[in-house]
Protein backbone atom coordinates (compact mmCIF):
# COMPACT_ATOMS: atom_id res chain seq x y z
CA UNK A 1 0.00 0.00 0.00
CA UNK A 2 1.31 3.46 -0.89
CA UNK A 3 1.31 5.84 2.12
CA UNK A 4 1.46 8.93 -0.13
CA UNK A 5 -2.19 9.30 -0.92
CA UNK A 6 -5.67 7.94 -0.84
CA UNK A 7 -7.95 6.98 2.00
CA UNK A 8 -5.97 7.90 5.13
CA UNK A 9 -8.28 5.97 7.46
CA UNK A 10 -7.92 2.76 5.46
CA UNK A 11 -4.17 3.21 5.15
CA UNK A 12 -3.83 3.88 8.89
CA UNK A 13 -5.60 0.56 9.61
CA UNK A 14 -3.17 -1.17 7.23
CA UNK A 15 0.01 0.44 8.59
CA UNK A 16 -0.88 0.35 12.32
CA UNK A 17 0.42 -3.19 12.97
CA UNK A 18 3.43 -2.61 10.68
CA UNK A 19 4.45 0.62 12.44
CA UNK A 20 4.84 -0.99 15.87
CA UNK A 21 8.54 -1.17 16.64
CA UNK A 22 10.03 -4.56 17.43
CA UNK A 23 6.70 -6.25 16.66
CA UNK A 24 5.38 -5.45 20.15
CA UNK A 25 1.80 -6.34 21.05
CA UNK A 26 -0.70 -3.50 21.52
CA UNK A 27 -3.77 -3.46 23.71
CA UNK A 28 -7.13 -2.66 22.11
CA UNK A 29 -6.90 0.94 23.40
CA UNK A 30 -3.36 1.28 22.00
CA UNK A 31 -4.49 -0.10 18.63
CA UNK A 32 -7.22 2.56 18.49
CA UNK A 33 -4.65 5.26 19.29
CA UNK A 34 -2.25 3.80 16.72
CA UNK A 35 -4.80 3.98 13.90
CA UNK A 36 -5.86 7.51 14.84
CA UNK A 37 -2.28 8.80 15.21
CA UNK A 38 -1.20 7.23 11.91
CA UNK A 39 -4.19 8.77 10.17
CA UNK A 40 -2.86 12.20 11.21
CA UNK A 41 0.70 11.23 10.24
CA UNK A 42 -0.48 10.21 6.78
CA UNK A 43 -2.66 13.30 6.47
CA UNK A 44 0.33 15.61 7.03
CA UNK A 45 2.50 13.64 4.60
CA UNK A 46 4.94 11.82 6.89
CA UNK A 47 5.68 8.18 6.13
CA UNK A 48 4.76 5.58 8.72
CA UNK A 49 7.48 3.20 9.82
CA UNK A 50 6.93 -0.11 8.06
CA UNK A 51 8.24 -3.28 9.67
CA UNK A 52 8.26 -5.07 6.31
CA UNK A 53 10.19 -2.29 4.55
CA UNK A 54 12.60 -2.07 7.51
CA UNK A 55 13.60 -5.66 6.82
CA UNK A 56 14.85 -4.39 3.45
CA UNK A 57 16.76 -1.50 5.05
CA UNK A 58 14.12 1.24 4.71
CA UNK A 59 13.72 2.21 8.36
CA UNK A 60 12.63 5.86 8.13
CA UNK A 61 9.19 6.84 9.35
CA UNK A 62 6.88 7.38 12.29
CA UNK A 63 6.91 4.36 14.54
CA UNK A 64 4.78 3.35 17.48
CA UNK A 65 5.65 1.66 20.77
CA UNK A 66 3.53 0.59 23.73
CA UNK A 67 4.46 2.26 27.01
CA UNK A 68 5.40 -0.49 29.49
CA UNK A 69 2.87 -0.84 32.28
CA UNK A 70 0.41 1.62 30.69
CA UNK A 71 -2.28 -0.19 28.70
CA UNK A 72 -3.80 3.06 27.35
CA UNK A 73 -0.60 4.90 26.35
CA UNK A 74 1.30 4.82 23.07
CA UNK A 75 4.66 6.41 22.27
CA UNK A 76 4.97 8.00 18.80
CA UNK A 77 8.57 8.04 17.56
CA UNK A 78 10.45 9.30 14.54
CA UNK A 79 12.87 6.76 13.03
CA UNK A 80 15.62 8.47 11.07
CA UNK A 81 17.34 6.89 8.11
CA UNK A 82 20.10 4.87 9.77
CA UNK A 83 22.46 5.07 6.81
CA UNK A 84 22.16 8.85 6.52
CA UNK A 85 22.61 9.22 10.28
CA UNK A 86 25.93 7.37 10.08
CA UNK A 87 27.34 10.16 7.90
CA UNK A 88 26.25 13.03 10.14
CA UNK A 89 27.75 14.33 13.38
CA UNK A 90 26.04 12.79 16.43
CA UNK A 91 24.87 16.18 17.71
CA UNK A 92 23.13 16.88 14.39
CA UNK A 93 21.41 13.48 14.42
CA UNK A 94 20.26 14.13 18.01
CA UNK A 95 19.01 17.63 17.09
CA UNK A 96 17.06 16.28 14.10
CA UNK A 97 15.53 13.52 16.22
CA UNK A 98 14.49 16.01 18.92
CA UNK A 99 13.03 18.39 16.32
CA UNK A 100 10.94 15.65 14.73
CA UNK A 101 9.66 14.50 18.12
CA UNK A 102 8.73 18.08 19.01
CA UNK A 103 6.97 18.43 15.64
CA UNK A 104 5.01 15.21 16.27
CA UNK A 105 4.06 16.44 19.75
CA UNK A 106 2.84 19.76 18.32
CA UNK A 107 0.93 18.16 15.44
CA UNK A 108 -0.78 15.53 17.60
CA UNK A 109 -1.72 18.18 20.17
CA UNK A 110 -3.10 20.42 17.42
CA UNK A 111 -5.26 17.49 16.27
CA UNK A 112 -6.62 17.36 19.85
CA UNK A 113 -4.89 14.20 20.98
CA UNK A 114 -4.22 13.99 24.70
CA UNK A 115 -0.42 14.10 24.72
CA UNK A 116 1.43 13.62 28.00
CA UNK A 117 3.56 16.54 29.09
CA UNK A 118 7.23 15.69 28.74
CA UNK A 119 10.63 17.13 27.94
CA UNK A 120 10.94 19.00 24.66
CA UNK A 121 12.36 16.76 22.00
CA UNK A 122 11.32 13.51 23.66
CA UNK A 123 9.01 11.20 21.69
CA UNK A 124 5.43 12.11 22.63
CA UNK A 125 3.25 9.72 24.60
CA UNK A 126 -0.39 9.75 23.46
CA UNK A 127 -2.92 9.03 26.21
CA UNK A 128 -6.17 9.49 24.33
CA UNK A 129 -7.94 10.76 21.26
CA UNK A 130 -8.97 13.95 23.08
CA UNK A 131 -7.75 15.65 26.23
CA UNK A 132 -10.28 15.37 29.06
CA UNK A 133 -12.47 18.45 29.20
CA UNK A 134 -11.88 19.34 25.51
CA UNK A 135 -14.85 19.10 23.17
Amino acid sequence: MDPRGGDHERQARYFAPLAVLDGAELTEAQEQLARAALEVVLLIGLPPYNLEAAADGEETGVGLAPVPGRRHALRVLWRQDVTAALHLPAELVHAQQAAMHQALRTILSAHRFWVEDGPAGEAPVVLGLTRPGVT
Side-chain angles (χ1 to χ4, degrees), residues 16-26 49-52 54 64-66 79:
L18 297 173
V20 179
L21 303 175
D22 301 324
E25 292 286 321
L26 299 180
Y49 173 81
N50 182 336
L51 187 61
E52 293 172 348
L64 308 168
R79 296 285 303 239

Side-chain angles (χ1 to χ4, degrees), residues 47 71 83:
R71 300 180 46 78
T83 305

Side-chain angles (χ1 to χ4, degrees), residues 30 65-71 73 75:
Q30 290 168 332
V67 179
R70 298 175 68 190
R71 300 180 46 78
R75 188 170 300 278

Side-chain angles (χ1 to χ4, degrees), residues 26-41 62-78 100-119 122-132:
L26 299 180
T27 66
E28 187 176 322
Q30 290 168 332
E31 286 179 26
Q32 181 183 14
L33 286 174
R35 288 189 302 271
L38 284 180
E39 191 172 340
V40 169
V41 165
V62 176
L64 308 168
V67 179
R70 298 175 68 190
R71 300 180 46 78
H72 298 282
L74 186 67
R75 188 170 300 278
V76 181
L77 306 109
W78 175 251
M100 287 302 294
H101 284 159
Q102 187 58 41
L104 286 168
R105 178 182 302 281
T106 301
I107 290 162
L108 291 167
S109 294
H111 282 267
R112 300 188 182 210
F113 281 83
W114 180 13
V115 178
E116 183 175 75
D117 291 334
E122 186 176 283
V125 173
V126 177
L127 303 173
L129 298 176
T130 58
R131 182 175 290 280

